[in-house]
Amino acid sequence: MVKEVLVAGNLKANSVDARSWFIEFEKHMDIQSFGSKGIVLVCPSFVELHDWQEAKSGSLLALGAQDISAFPPGEHTGDVSGEMLKPFEISYVIIGHSERRALLGETDQLVSQKIAQAFAAGLTPIVCVGETAEQREEGQTQKTLEEQLKNSLQGLRADQLSHVIVAYEPRWAIGTGKSATKEDAQDAAAFIKEAAGVPKVLYGGSVKPENVAMFIAQPHIDGVLVGGASKTGDVFGQLAHNAFSVG
Ligand code: PGA
C-alpha cells in the first residue's frame, strides 16, 4: 500500500504572515492540486489561525493547532478549548510537544487529558514523544518512548488509537540542526508502532529540504513534523516538494 505522506509545519510562537507564506509556497507546489501526493499541514499560533483560515480558503492545505486545553470549555484561564477551535476548520492538534513538556512541565497525564479533548472536538491528535540526549546515551531511548506512550495514550479505545498520529521527536534534534540518522528514526518509528499500536509515525527534529526525502523513504516513517524550516513558504514549499518526490 502506498503511504499517504503528512508534511506538517509547526510555526510555534512565531508570527507568520499567511498570505506571503502562501505566495512563496506556491513557487514550489500548486496548492490546489497536490492532493494525490499527501497532506500539507500548517499549525500557526492560536491568534493567527483566523488569518490562515482566510488565506487558505479553497486550497488543499490543512490547518492545525499547536495545543488544546485539557478541559472542556469553562473556568480555565488562558486555555483554548477544543470547542473554541472548531470554527477555524482545523483538523489536527499537536499535543505534548517537547517544548511544552520541558519548559511548562506538561506531563503524560495532561497529554492524555488533551488527547481526550481533541477527540471530543473531532480533531486528530499528533502526540509528540522523544528522548533526551542523556537518555539516548544511557541506552534508555526505547524505555523512555514506551513510558511516554503508555501514559499518554492510556485508556484509548482501539478505534481511537487508529486515529492517533505519533511524532517521534528526539529532544536533542529539535532546533539544533542535528537530525537523527535515518536508521535511528526508522527504528524508533517501528518501535512506536509496535509498542503503541498506532498506524502513523512522523519524524521531527531538524528536518530540512535537504534531508526530508531520506526520512520519507523509510518504510515506517509516514511524514515529518517541521519547526524552523516551516517558517517561510519558500523553504517549506521546497521541503514538501522534496517529500512528495519520494516514490
Ligand atoms: P525543528 O523543530 O524542525 O526546528 O527542529 C521541530 C519541532 O519542534 O517540531
Side-chain angles (χ1 to χ4, degrees):
M1 195 177 75
V2 182
K3 65 185 174 191
E4 186 183 52
V5 172
L6 173 59
V7 177
N10 172 11
L11 299 182
K12 308 191 178 183
N14 295 294
S15 179
V16 177
D17 181 69
R19 280 175 205 284
S20 327
W21 189 98
F22 268 93
I23 292 167
E24 294 285 313
F25 185 89
E26 291 209 277
K27 285 187 199 160
H28 303 281
M29 191 175 278
D30 182 352
I31 207 104
Q32 312 293 345
S33 67
F34 65 80
S36 58
K37 302 190 170 160
I39 299 168
V40 178
L41 164 70
V42 176
C43 302
S45 93
F46 288 134
V47 294
E48 290 180 356
L49 268 175
H50 180 67
D51 294 347
W52 280 81
Q53 185 190 11
E54 277 192 351
K56 100 172 192 87
S57 151
S59 85
L60 291 172
L61 190 101
L63 278 185
Q66 296 174 20
D67 188 29
I68 187 170
S69 174
F71 308 100
E75 279 54 57
H76 304 293
T77 303
D79 265 11
V80 176
S81 71
E83 197 62 34
M84 292 160 77
L85 289 169
K86 280 187 183 168
F88 297 103
E89 299 168 74
I90 66 170
S91 337
Y92 298 84
V93 57
I94 298 170
I95 299 180
H97 189 278
S98 69
E99 285 153 10
R100 301 194 62 83
R101 291 178 184 264
L103 304 173
L104 301 166
E106 196 156 303
T107 60
D108 290 333
Q109 169 63 35
L110 207 61
V111 168
S112 131
Q113 286 174 247
K114 289 184 175 188
I115 295 171
Q117 291 304 318
F119 278 126
L123 300 174
T124 300
I126 299 177
V127 181
C128 302
V129 295
E131 80 286 0
T132 62
E134 212 174 27
Q135 287 163 331
R136 174 159 282 270
E137 274 155 31
E138 288 167 0
Q140 301 291 311
T141 299
Q142 290 199 348
K143 185 169 168 279
T144 306
L145 296 177
E146 195 167 22
E147 260 170 41
Q148 288 175 341
L149 291 165
K150 184 167 129 273
N151 297 328
S152 302
L153 305 180
Q154 59 182 299
L156 292 180
R157 300 186 310 264
D159 63 306
Q160 291 176 316
L161 272 178
S162 71
H163 288 99
V164 170
I165 297 173
V166 172
Y168 169 59
E169 297 209 306
R171 289 198 191 182
W172 46 269
I174 294 179
T176 58
K178 192 173 163 243
S179 65
T181 63
K182 61 180 191 300
E183 291 83 9
D184 285 346
Q186 158 74 5
D187 285 354
F191 176 77
I192 288 167
K193 286 183 179 177
E194 179 70 31
V198 293
K200 276 195 178 185
V201 175
L202 312 180
Y203 167 75
S206 299
V207 177
K208 305 183 246 319
E210 301 76 41
N211 65 11
V212 67
M214 166 182 103
F215 291 112
I216 298 295
Q218 304 309 306
H220 282 295
I221 298 179
D222 303 283
V224 285
L225 180 55
V226 183
S230 66
K231 281 192 272 183
T232 70
D234 187 19
V235 177
F236 200 56
Q238 184 67 57
L239 191 151
H241 174 83
N242 294 353
F244 291 161
S245 302
V246 178

